[in-house]
Amino acid sequence: MSWLDDTDLDDDFEEYDESAIRTRPNPKANRPRTKRRPAHEDAQIGRVLGVDRGRYSVLLDEGTAEEHTITAARARELRRTPIVTGDQARVVGDTSGAEGTLGRIVGILDRTSLLRRSADDTDQVERVIVANADQMLVVVAAADPEPRARLVDRYLVAALDAGIRPLLVVTKTDLADPAEFLAHFDGLDLRVFTSARDEMPVAEIGEALVGHSTVFVGHSGVGKSTLVNALVPSAGRATGHVNQVTGRGRHTSSSTVSLRYEGPDGTGWVIDTPGVRSFGLGHVDPANILAAFTELAVIAENCPRGCTHLPDAPDCALIEAAERGELSETGRARLDSLQRLLQTFADKAEQTPGR
């Protein structure tokens, strides 16, 4: 005899009937993965101003009344894509910029230029410094620390390889005359500014920045951060001093960041980078160096294949044109500059194993 009523046996447990269970066809009980990614057609385009520990500062609605800065993270599908200062990024998610919010970078637009360097001349792995810059301002001191012409040569080679117009500013000219150093660059299409402690050409340099995205590079201790602070008073970039024992500057800028320059003639972008003591050229294509010397490149079309254009190059059309007097004084100076830059690259090649 059961202590349950007959009516309780079926009615109370009817809802638990296993025959009503719906099963998935996938034995792993999960959805199959797909390589298709959302199009993100609603993504906004913004300028990457800087990166800090995996978080990107992105400027949205640039140049409008709604302009604002947000913090964004890299989308998972971009984990192998470098995102650098100057990039034009596609951003989705919370783009309000409110405190505590986080957008997501889902894509990068095609870059107009890419400034790169390698750790050293034997390293074929490139380090991306900045994207979409169209000018490079090389900052060097006339003294304290002593100027290094070969390091400047390397900056110029990297700029020409990237299709970026180089500029040069010599600081601390109150400590030494830079004339001998500047003679090293005769013949180059290189605009030069000079700066002293009490005579910093802020207005003149600022005029050259208007309408451009200019990356500032230089050896530690040459006054680059001081110059940036003078051009962009709100920058607040840390400044340091030169070690009297080693003659080396102390690294003060630890990250690359974009800052807006605002002058009487318009605005531009200043991209400040950490000071470096070396600039590897393992990634450079020497053909891009020659292409920057347009009038010489035309003559070089008559050179034999594989011509180095160096002073000892056999049957070099450039050298033969100089010997025949077909090059002007400026042309000969530019040939000398070209050969110096190519020699810098050739020295790099000799140090590379297997080449």
Side-chain angles (χ1 to χ4, degrees):
M1 182 175 180
S2 173
W3 56 272
L4 292 173
D5 294 336
D6 292 341
T7 56
D8 292 334
L9 293 176
D10 297 324
D11 296 342
D12 291 350
F13 298 95
E14 189 177 54
E15 59 180 310
Y16 301 109
D17 184 3
E18 293 184 358
S19 64
I21 293 177
R22 299 179 60 186
T23 60
R24 294 173 179 246
N26 188 340
K28 293 184 178 180
N30 57 18
R31 298 179 62 185
R33 293 182 61 86
T34 176
K35 293 183 179 180
R36 296 182 62 185
R37 293 289 183 265
H40 297 301
E41 296 178 353
D42 59 339
Q44 293 184 257
I45 308 299
R47 177 190 297 269
V48 177
L49 300 180
V51 57
D52 181 20
R53 291 169 291 186
R55 293 293 183 261
Y56 299 87
S57 178
V58 182
L59 181 67
L60 297 180
D61 299 316
E62 182 178 342
T64 70
E66 290 75 31
E67 178 180 292
H68 62 287
T69 303
I70 70 166
T71 301
R74 178 202 303 261
R76 184 175 182 179
E77 57 263 33
L78 296 182
R79 60 187 179 275
R80 295 186 179 180
T81 302
I83 303 175
V84 298
T85 301
D87 267 325
Q88 292 291 316
R90 301 179 67 238
V91 186
V92 298
D94 193 331
T95 59
S96 65
E99 184 177 356
T101 60
L102 188 66
R104 188 159 56 99
I105 298 177
V106 296
I108 298 296
L109 301 189
D110 291 341
R111 294 153 169 166
T112 58
S113 69
L114 198 60
L115 180 63
R116 304 163 293 171
R117 76 180 180 97
S118 49
D120 55 56
D121 287 343
T122 63
D123 188 0
Q124 297 299 312
V125 179
E126 64 186 39
R127 273 69 169 172
V128 179
I129 301 175
V130 66
N132 300 320
D134 61 338
Q135 290 188 151
M136 172 195 283
L137 183 68
V138 181
V139 184
V140 61
D144 191 32
E146 292 297 318
R148 296 167 54 190
R150 295 303 294 271
L151 177 60
V152 176
D153 281 347
R154 288 172 170 267
Y155 286 135
L156 297 179
V157 167
L160 297 178
D161 178 67
I164 298 174
R165 177 194 179 198
L167 308 169
L168 177 66
V169 57
V170 184
T171 64
K172 306 182 183 181
T173 55
D174 52 307
L175 301 181
D177 185 356
E180 182 178 352
F181 169 76
L182 291 176
H184 185 75
F185 305 100
D186 287 345
L188 284 177
D189 184 15
L190 181 66
R191 185 176 180 182
V192 178
F193 306 90
T194 56
S195 174
R197 180 181 297 273
D198 299 322
E199 298 179 5
M200 188 177 295
V202 175
E204 187 179 0
I205 295 176
E207 183 181 356
L209 303 179
V210 173
H212 296 282
S213 182
T214 307
V215 54
F216 283 44
V217 298
H219 189 286
S220 304
V222 298
K224 178 169 59 66
S225 294
T226 300
L227 178 60
V228 170
N229 288 336
L231 291 165
V232 186
S234 61
R237 300 295 273 177
T239 58
H241 63 280
V242 176
N243 189 302
Q244 298 301 319
V245 176
T246 65
R248 292 182 172 183
R250 181 171 63 89
H251 292 295
T252 53
S253 300
S254 59
S255 61
T256 300
V257 61
S258 287
L259 305 163
R260 179 183 274 124
Y261 166 77
E262 297 180 342
D265 299 319
T267 65
W269 286 98
V270 170
I271 305 175
D272 190 21
T273 63
V276 296
R277 299 190 181 107
S278 64
F279 206 94
L281 301 176
H283 62 282
V284 169
D285 181 354
N288 293 336
I289 304 174
L290 175 61
F293 295 77
T294 51
E295 71 283 11
L296 298 181
V298 173
I299 301 175
E301 293 177 356
N302 298 317
C303 288
R305 178 173 298 184
C307 181
T308 64
H309 313 299
L310 296 176
D312 59 351
D315 301 321
C316 176
L318 292 172
I319 297 175
E320 292 177 352
E323 292 174 346
R324 292 194 298 265
E326 296 176 1
L327 297 182
S328 64
E329 182 178 350
T330 300
R332 290 194 299 272
R334 287 179 60 75
L335 175 59
D336 180 71
S337 295
L338 170 64
Q339 290 176 333
R340 188 187 70 251
L341 296 180
L342 290 174
Q343 185 64 58
T344 297
F345 187 84
D347 293 343
K348 181 272 296 184
E350 291 176 0
Q351 298 171 12
T352 304
R355 297 187 66 173

